[in-house]
Amino acid sequence: IPPEFISVGTDPGGDQILLGVRGTQYGRIFYWDSSDEQPGDWPDEEELAEAKLKHSIYRNVHFVAVSFTEFLENLYPNPAEN
């Protein structure tokens, strides 16, 4: 998991729901696809500071919501499991 995120949940396949804890990602929710992990591609601290991006700069970290509240408000039951 990139250093500016912490895991706040997992899916059945072992991928992670991440919370941004610093920089431009702070407070945002992301989905980490572990099958496409490329640790050698992580930016350094200077590159992170310069990245004024709304969404993730990692190819396997995908933007989900601007806040944890928005993330929770958009959850719904899986109809296939009922």
Side-chain angles (χ1 to χ4, degrees), residues 52-72:
K52 305 273 187 200
L53 303 173
K54 179 179 180 183
H55 303 306
S56 177
I57 60 175
Y58 303 102
R59 69 173 160 218
N60 69 322
V61 177
H62 309 282
F63 176 77
V64 174
V66 297
S67 68
F68 195 72
T69 300
E70 181 181 284
F71 171 71
L72 292 177

Side-chain angles (χ1 to χ4, degrees), residues 5-25:
F5 299 100
I6 60 169
S7 176
V8 294
T10 60
D11 72 5
D15 295 327
Q16 305 287 312
I17 305 300
L18 306 177
L19 172 65
V21 293
R22 62 181 177 177
T24 59
Q25 313 306 354

